[in-house]
Each structure stands twice: as structure tokens, then as C-alpha cells.
Amino acid sequence: MNKNTDNLASTDASASDALLSVQDVSVHFGGIVALDGVSFDIPSGQIVGLIGPNGAGKTTLFNCISRLYDVNWGDILFNGESILKSPVHRMSEIGLGRTFQNLALFSNLSVLDNIMIGGHSTAKSDYISNALHLPWIKREEKELRKRAFEMLRFMELEDTALQRIGGLSFGIQKRLEIARALLSRPKLLLMDEPAGGLNHNELSLLVDTIRRIRDEFGTTVLLVEHHMGVVMEVSEKVVALNFGRKLAEGPPAEIQQHPDVIEAYLGTGKK
Amino acid sequence: MATDVETRMDTNMEAAAKIPFKWVIPFIVIGAILPFFLGGYATFQGTLIMIYAIAILGLNLLTGFNGQFSLGHSAFYAIGAYTAAILVYHLDWPVYAAIPVGGVVCFFAGFLFGLPALRLEGLYLALATFALGVSIPQVLKSSHLEGLTGGVQGLDVFRPAVPAFLKENFGITMDQWWYLIVFVVMLLLFWVAWNLINSRTGRAMMAIRDNPIAAKSMGVNSSLYKSLTFGVSAFYTGIAGAMAAIVIEFVAPDSFTFQLSILLFIGMVVGGTGSIWGAIFGGFFILTVPNFAEEISTGLSYAIFGVILILVIYVMPSGFAGLVNLLRVRIKNML
């Protein structure tokens, strides 16, 4: 807890060097307003939680940040530059990695191949050099494979390397998604409901993993999460959404006590 | 303990993506000496099987590895064949140079067709390629192009004689010579396909097939890979078409109907979708089984072919390559 408040104090003073800055973002689907003028910053090196009841717009915002959805209004800055003009596949290269709410591994490939695709943007061999297997390809492949094995070791999954995705448990697949996203060496890791469907042991492993990712790789983490226990334990800052608007933003302890957040989750019956 | 895991991993790291030479070398040796034991007709049939195998492998790169459907590969086969035939017939090009040009022309045709196809998914892409496949014979027959394509009559292509020193010293016949050329081209193209599949490019292709959104989020430029793969797939099929034109010494519009597309598709599924060497079995199947069905009953040959096809799919649901893999695992477990 001490550490959390320390971090917050330091980042409040220097809000301008936010790694990601969401500025007045609105998204409409037909007549439905999914996001309505949402703004917040993610300071470099922090673990930030994004919470809200179902339909609050969390996943929509998430998909805007990873460029799967277009925003109708507002801007999203990464490292001080707008990302809204760049295509989806550029995100990994500039340092935005992500995991998916429902598993999105490549189901017909081996674990190793899945992880290596995570490092696609860190390699550069082209169609022709690959087709002819030019000598320098070997070095690149070896390097990428080595990094993939290291990442599997980091996630304590090295034994699965040569298995197919299909036979692995849900919890292991969730961890593999994290490993895959990390292979692109992201500056910001977006995690979409990493705790969803995990059992008790896997949950505590997840909290530990998120901290290790930040501490060992210096990766900033944004997680969308339903599981309040996980968010409040691991986050240094929490942003709460409801009906597409930002309700509150602050340290977990503060958000837990925030009347609007409590109302959104439990309802007060007044209104 | 830790070192044990690490050495195991290092061997795994090295073992990944190596060509299985203990299978490939006997195959090459047998393939190379086969024409010297077979009769002229069987050698010619073997040549056609290999040509089909190349075309099927091209389709497989697109459909099996990249997840894009095509019912129009007869069009690329035709473009390859006509490019080679026109170069030889009208411009007196040497046939050996006409073959790669047929492939390159098809690469561009496939790449350009692949660009609008980016907007089409699954069944819609199948329909668009179907339209391409059915239109090509008509285009080739059209009176506007008759001067070039020879219209309904088609074009004759004559093969040059076997190089004199091979003929005199080893008695190599025309059929054997072309068998060997096609064999070498096939080996080369299979090697290229193997390289592609076991590389960064191949992983990107398969990632797009398995989960396009996740692939994009991992940094894969899906549009680029999809259109390039369309081009490469057409290149393979075009090379096959060009060699077919020269081996058969004749091109005519009705050799490239939509039915050819379906045959290639069948060859791909029967050989094993997503298998490289399965294409050889696929080529064997689509050349021999229709003839076999015809021998049983001319009037009911399609019905018989259909029954055989259903039986084959029942016995080998993931193609010939899938069956062999399954048997290999079974035998390994028994030992």
C-alpha cells in the first residue's frame, strides 16, 4: 500500500509525461453512445485498472486504444503522439501489446509458434527472403525462438512449448496469451479481463505475474477487469466507468469508497 | 535438473523446422529413377500428376495455410498455360523461358485479384473466385482475342528435341526428359513452400487463417500477407499451367473450365488441407480416380467418382497426409 501511494504522489506531479493519454473520447454505434467524453492518463510504469458494470464501455475503450474500433470524437495519445491515424497492425510495433477477453490464440499452431507470432513486429524478414531461406533468416529465427523460450520460462510454461493449443487448459491458455503479447516488448500491455474464468490459485498467480511484468520489464499495464479483488490488489490507480462516462479516477482505496462507484455497482434505490 | 530442461530445450530449438531428409532423400531417388522403369505412357501420367501437385500446393498455400477460399484456380492455370503457349507460338520463345514467365504473369494476376478480395470473407470470396473461374474459358474464346489465343481451336505448342548429348549417351526420351524437368521444378517449389511455411511469413499466414483480429493485433499486416499469398498461390498454379501446356503440346479454352478448379480443390482436400507433401497424393487422386471411374462405367462415371470421394473422405477425414500422421503416431506408440 505504501508503495502504491508513493507512486501516485510522484505521477500526479508529472501528469504531462503520461504514456497513454485518452482525451475526451466519444464512440457512437448508430444511435447508441458507447463512450461519452472519457479522459484519463496512464502514467508510465504504473498498473492501472479500468472498472465498471457490464455495458459501461470498458471493452469499447479498450478496442479503441488497440485501434480495433474508430473513435468519433477526441484523441488517444501514445508517447505524446496520436495513434488514431495508424492501422491496427502498427500498434504492436510502437509498443502497444494486448491480450483478449475470450481466448484468441492461434488454435492450429504449436505454443512456440503462437509465442513467436507475438514477436512478429520485432523481426523483419520478408516474403522473398523467407521463401528462399536466405542465410540471415536463420539468425533471426534462432533469436526469436530463443526469446520465445525465455518468455515461456518467465511464465513457467516451458514444458508446453511444443504442444498444440487445443489440449491446454483455459488457465494455461490465458497465461500463453500474456506471454505472446509480451514478446513484442510492449511499453504498454492492455489486458482484457485477465482474471475471467480463473480459479483461486490461478488468480493469485495472475496478481504476481502482473507485478513481475511491470517490475522486470518496466511495462506499464492497463487491465480491464470485473474481478474487484484482483483490480484493487494489483492496481495503483483505478478508473471507473459507467454508461460510457468516467465516474471516478484515483487510488484503489479511494475508488472503493467513492459514492458514485458504489451506487453504480450496488444501486442506492434513490436516484 | 534445470540444465536437463535447458538442454532438452536447446535440442528442441535446433530441431524446429528441419526438412525430414530421411523421408525426402528416398523419395527424390525413387522419383528420379522411376521414368527409367515405367513405360512412356506411365511416365507421361507421372508428369501430369506432378504438375497437378504443384497447382494443388499453390491452392493449399492460399486456402490451407492462409484461409482464403478459391474456386477460381483454373483461371490461373489457364493464364499460365496461355502465357507460355502465346510466347512460344507467336513469339518463338524457347519453352524453358516461357514457363517462369507464365508463373510471373500469374503472380501479378493473383496479386491484383487478391486486392479487392481483401474485402471478401469466406463464402463471398469463394463466389468471387468462382466468377473468375467460369469467365476465363469464355474470355479465351472471345472473338476480340482470337488472334492471340486461337479462339476455340486453341494453340499448338511444339517441344524442342531432348538435348543431343542426353539422347545419344543415355537414350533419354522426350517423356523422360519432361518428367525430369517437371520433377526438378516440383522439388524446387516444394522446397520454397516448406521455407515459407516454416518462417515468420508462414506463421503470419497461418495466424491470419486462425484468428485475423489477433493476428493484426500482433503486428501482422494482414492485407499485405493476404494479397502476396494470393499472388504466390497463383504463381504456383501458373507454373503448373505453363508446364501442362508444353507437356501436352496444346492449349484450348475447354481444358480450363470451372471443373478444373473443383478438381484442384478436391485434390487439396484429399491430399490434406494444410499439408505440403499431401499435394502429391492429391495430384495422383485427381488424375487417376476419374479415369478409373470412367473405366467402371462410362455412363455413371461421375456417380462412381462421387461415391469414391465420399468413401475417401470418410476414411481420411483430414486427408491423406492426416492419415499418414495418425498412423505414424500409432506405430510410434506401439513400439
Side-chain angles (χ1 to χ4, degrees):
Chain A
M1 261 313 169
N2 260 340
K3 190 181 163 199
N4 290 352
T5 37
D6 282 353
N7 268 340
L8 262 181
S10 65
T11 47
D12 275 350
S14 54
S16 60
D17 44 59
L19 181 63
L20 186 89
S21 180
V22 176
Q23 298 180 342
D24 199 17
V25 165
S26 296
V27 175
H28 307 213
F29 295 120
I32 298 161
V33 179
L35 287 175
D36 186 6
V38 174
S39 299
F40 64 91
D41 283 348
I42 298 178
S44 195
Q46 279 207 358
I47 299 171
V48 177
L50 184 61
I51 63 165
N54 282 328
K58 305 183 297 287
T59 298
T60 305
L61 181 58
F62 217 72
N63 285 335
C64 289
I65 298 173
S66 53
R67 294 288 295 119
L68 292 175
Y69 292 171
D70 283 323
V71 311
N72 300 97
W73 185 260
D75 205 351
I76 299 174
L77 306 183
F78 183 71
N79 261 337
E81 278 175 45
S82 174
I83 58 168
L84 298 183
K85 290 276 185 295
S86 306
V88 184
H89 68 260
R90 283 269 301 143
M91 293 302 105
S92 158
E93 205 179 323
I94 64 171
L96 265 162
R98 74 165 288 174
T99 67
F100 290 84
Q101 182 178 347
N102 302 310
L103 295 171
L105 290 167
F106 306 113
S107 48
N108 293 307
L109 301 181
S110 71
V111 165
L112 186 62
D113 280 340
N114 267 275
I115 307 299
M116 284 169 79
I117 292 167
H120 184 85
S121 59
T122 63
K124 58 181 195 307
S125 62
D126 57 289
Y127 218 107
I128 301 231
S129 335
N130 279 327
L132 302 178
H133 199 67
L134 299 182
W136 65 274
I137 297 298
K138 221 174 186 172
R139 223 176 315 133
E140 186 186 272
E141 275 289 290
K142 207 171 167 180
E143 171 67 24
L144 193 57
R145 206 175 298 136
K146 193 172 140 222
R147 286 183 47 222
F149 270 106
E150 280 166 7
M151 192 55 71
L152 284 170
R153 206 169 304 167
F154 176 81
M155 297 297 286
E156 291 155 29
L157 290 169
E158 60 260 57
D159 285 340
T160 65
L162 299 182
Q163 293 182 34
R164 297 228 153 201
I165 296 298
L168 299 167
S169 77
F170 183 80
I172 287 184
Q173 293 197 37
K174 279 241 157 188
R175 287 177 69 70
L176 285 174
E177 272 221 14
I178 299 173
R180 183 180 67 175
L182 286 174
L183 213 69
S184 66
R185 302 190 180 109
K187 295 189 187 85
L188 173 63
L189 177 63
L190 305 167
M191 302 175 92
D192 197 355
E193 304 214 5
L198 298 188
N199 65 33
H200 187 74
N201 290 337
E202 290 167 339
L203 281 179
S204 58
L205 187 60
L206 174 69
V207 168
D208 178 54
T209 303
I210 294 174
R211 290 207 178 112
R212 281 174 64 214
I213 289 169
R214 197 269 310 271
D215 296 343
E216 290 187 30
F217 303 124
T219 306
T220 308
V221 177
L222 174 67
L223 59 152
V224 164
E225 193 45 76
H226 265 305
H227 195 289
M228 279 305 147
V230 169
V231 181
M232 295 305 170
E233 192 182 345
V234 80
S235 306
E236 288 144 355
K237 168 175 169 175
V238 175
V239 177
L241 294 181
N242 196 22
F243 296 119
R245 286 165 184 264
K246 186 172 82 178
L247 280 185
E249 171 180 1
E254 208 172 277
I255 295 295
Q256 270 172 312
Q257 306 300 324
H258 200 287
D260 290 349
V261 176
I262 294 171
E263 190 191 320
Y265 272 92
L266 300 173
T268 57
K270 285 187 253 168
K271 193 114 202 176
Chain B
M1 186 62 193
T3 44
D4 180 44
V5 172
E6 266 168 44
T7 33
R8 212 176 67 226
M9 255 180 218
D10 289 342
T11 40
N12 284 341
M13 281 169 64
E14 294 300 327
K18 281 241 169 80
I19 296 174
F21 282 110
K22 62 174 177 174
W23 302 108
V24 171
I25 288 172
F27 171 83
I28 292 176
V29 171
I30 293 171
I33 59 175
L34 212 53
F36 300 99
F37 293 94
L38 297 173
Y41 180 68
T43 302
F44 179 71
Q45 296 273 300
T47 310
L48 290 182
I49 287 173
M50 294 189 292
I51 287 174
Y52 277 142
I54 293 168
I56 290 168
L57 180 57
L59 181 60
N60 217 341
L61 286 174
L62 185 72
T63 308
F65 291 101
N66 197 212
Q68 302 192 73
F69 277 95
S70 171
L71 296 176
H73 262 49
S74 59
F76 299 119
Y77 199 86
I79 293 171
Y82 266 90
T83 304
I86 288 167
L87 289 174
V88 174
Y89 184 90
H90 290 296
L91 302 173
D92 283 329
W93 273 44
V95 292
Y96 306 109
I99 294 170
V101 175
V104 170
V105 168
C106 276
F107 172 83
F108 288 108
F111 181 76
L112 291 177
F113 188 83
L115 290 178
L118 289 172
R119 304 206 162 268
L120 303 169
E121 298 283 333
L123 296 173
Y124 300 97
L125 181 58
L127 287 185
T129 51
F130 166 77
L132 179 71
V134 288
S135 64
I136 278 287
Q138 285 189 338
V139 171
L140 292 173
K141 282 180 206 170
S142 96
S143 52
H144 303 289
L145 292 175
E146 211 168 352
L148 201 61
T149 63
V152 188
Q153 302 295 324
L155 296 173
D156 289 316
V157 187
F158 292 104
R159 290 183 285 186
V162 180
F165 75 98
L166 288 175
K167 196 175 179 181
E168 283 154 20
N169 297 337
F170 304 100
I172 286 182
T173 66
M174 186 73 109
D175 285 330
Q176 287 168 341
W177 173 235
W178 277 93
Y179 176 100
L180 292 172
I181 290 176
V182 173
F183 185 62
V184 169
V185 172
M186 181 183 77
L187 290 179
L188 255 172
L189 291 178
F190 272 57
W191 175 74
V192 166
W194 169 273
N195 289 342
L196 269 180
I197 294 312
N198 293 292
S199 74
R200 174 174 183 260
T201 300
R203 282 193 301 272
M205 284 163 62
M206 292 185 280
I208 292 167
R209 171 196 68 192
D210 282 2
N211 195 324
I213 290 178
K216 278 186 207 168
S217 295
M218 296 305 126
V220 174
N221 184 348
S222 145
S223 309
L224 182 73
Y225 280 101
K226 280 170 92 169
S227 41
L228 278 176
T229 303
F230 222 113
V232 169
S233 170
F235 172 83
Y236 272 69
T237 308
I239 292 274
M243 291 197 300
I246 286 159
V247 166
I248 298 168
E249 300 193 292
F250 176 61
V251 290
D254 289 330
S255 319
F256 309 109
T257 58
F258 171 63
Q259 209 170 348
L260 176 63
S261 288
I262 297 293
L263 270 182
L264 295 177
F265 198 86
I266 291 172
M268 176 185 75
V269 175
V270 168
T273 313
S275 152
I276 293 177
W277 64 269
I280 297 170
F281 183 82
F284 174 79
F285 187 89
I286 62 173
L287 188 85
T288 55
V289 174
N291 289 344
F292 174 72
E294 190 110 357
E295 267 171 37
I296 294 178
S297 161
T298 317
L300 285 173
S301 62
Y302 283 114
I304 293 166
F305 182 69
V307 170
I308 295 173
L309 196 56
I310 290 169
L311 286 176
V312 164
I313 289 167
Y314 186 75
V315 178
M316 319 186 289
S318 46
F320 186 66
L323 181 73
V324 170
N325 275 343
L326 192 74
L327 291 177
R328 229 171 55 188
V329 172
R330 288 256 170 96
I331 291 168
K332 222 179 204 173
N333 288 346
M334 274 198 299
L335 293 178

